[in-house]
Amino acid sequence: MDQIEITPLTGPLGARVVVPGSKSITNRAMVLAALAQGRSVLESVLLSDDTRYMCDALQVMGFAVEIDEPARRITVSGRGGTIPANGAEIFVGGAGTVMRFLCAMVTLGEGRFRIDGNQRMRQRPIGPQLDAMQRLGASVYSERNNNCPPVIVDGSRTRSVGGETSIDARVSSQFVSAMLMPAPIWKAGLNLAIVGDTARPFIDMTLRLMEAWGAHSSVDGETITVRGGQWYRAQRFVVEPDASSASYFAAAAALVGGSVKIEGLTSNSVQGDIGFLGVLQQMGARVKWYPGFVEVTGTGRLAGVDIAMNSMPDMVPTLAAIAPFASTPTRIRNVAFIRHHESDRIRALAAELRRLGAMVVDHDDGLEILPSTMRPAAVETYDDHRIAMSFAVTGLKLGGLKIKNPACVAKTFPDFFERLAALNPGP
């Protein structure tokens, strides 16, 4: 359908929700499983556009990948740090993790790999990662010489990869994670100095997952060292529920009042986006952790916050979508790099908030959103799943709001609107 109208909630929430598995963990786990020796079984995975692109790419690269959709299970037969195919044409759609991760992973191959994506992916920068890989000895370059995809990685012209380098991670922490995952298998390993502010929790997630799969690293300030000649262990691995997806339901409770219990999320999650629950606490919600779930309770009254969001950039749209209802201004800082995500998110959020009547000041590094009287409208989504899902939360409070191109949520949360519609007011 071209658009969907969000039905506002008529009373405080009293809901229990189950969210899909983490996209960030699912795609990292698939890379690690492919690099391990033997058969790995990944449970509670996310099955969405982004993770299917990873599955398809691994199959094109010669790996045996089986998907059991009803069981939410993916089985990957790893090849011990080698790439079976002698070169490949790989298409990743709009999946940034797949593009960045595979550019580094295929340095373990011997052929010529071309990695391409959709129109938006061809606009997303990858130059800092390519520069760092070149300094490590990889034959890798932007096909159009513009530091954006398509990317060519030519293993036939590479003798060995690894050693010491630095990387500018201000545009994306994915550049760092991409280089870390194959590093234990590179003979020379990796000594990587990170330059610039970045979403560090995603890098920490990668290191924790690498450790779980058997590869050790050390961190000294902004430098990460991974010893070469290590191996990943095949295993059965359970993917955590997606904290980013959970944010929409947590924000709903904070916005309209009542409580939402989110299954499977724990306070020791490897996901940095779990920190968004702390932001909701600052705004006036109550967050209580239980064994096996977290409960978020709101009064329907919000206070604004002034916060740097570089550690959880995907949560910027969620915060922006509820900020106009707060009693004081909200200032979002240090996220200039989200202009290079699935859309220019600062520009998109400012435009759509204004369309709904909000008073907004957009800055180079973020947004200032003032308490506003909102009016319904049809929200443009820019083919960006997080814009669509965030403003859907706004529609729970503001009657008459419509979301254009709702199918874009298939990137990470295919049945989001069905789950949202199932939210019930409390007794």
Side-chain angles (χ1 to χ4, degrees), residues 195-212:
V195 178
D197 288 335
T198 186
R200 188 58 185 255
F202 286 95
I203 298 170
D204 295 337
M205 172 198 292
T206 302
L207 294 173
R208 287 177 66 178
L209 292 177
M210 289 168 59
E211 185 80 24

Side-chain angles (χ1 to χ4, degrees), residues 278-314:
V279 177
L280 293 179
Q281 281 184 303
Q282 292 180 50
M283 299 181 80
R286 187 177 76 243
V287 176
K288 191 170 182 181
W289 296 96
Y290 295 89
F293 70 94
V294 62
E295 183 178 37
V296 180
T297 303
T299 64
R301 295 186 299 274
L302 299 172
V305 290
D306 188 328
I307 187 167
M309 295 286 282
N310 55 295
S311 65
M312 45 180 143
D314 286 341

Side-chain angles (χ1 to χ4, degrees), residues 173-195:
S173 65
Q174 292 173 5
F175 300 158
V176 180
S177 291
M179 295 180 63
L180 289 174
M181 286 188 282
I185 300 166
W186 293 337
K187 288 182 181 179
L190 178 65
N191 187 271
L192 183 64
I194 302 171
V195 178

Side-chain angles (χ1 to χ4, degrees), residues 152-167:
I152 308 296
V153 184
D154 193 345
S156 65
R157 306 177 106 188
T158 302
R159 290 189 175 181
S160 64
V161 178
E164 184 172 342
T165 191
S166 62
I167 189 164

Side-chain angles (χ1 to χ4, degrees), residues 214-279:
H216 306 294
S217 60
S218 61
V219 179
D220 182 8
E222 299 305 309
T223 300
I224 301 172
T225 302
V226 182
R227 178 174 50 82
Q230 302 185 68
W231 301 98
Y232 290 117
R233 298 187 301 264
Q235 61 179 289
R236 182 176 295 272
F237 182 85
V238 180
V239 175
E240 294 181 11
D242 194 281
S244 310
S245 297
S247 75
Y248 309 112
F249 301 97
L255 180 62
V256 304
S259 67
V260 169
K261 294 172 180 167
I262 304 168
E263 298 281 357
L265 280 185
T266 61
S267 58
N268 65 347
S269 168
V270 300
Q271 301 172 75
D273 285 351
I274 205 79
F276 183 69
L277 299 184
V279 177

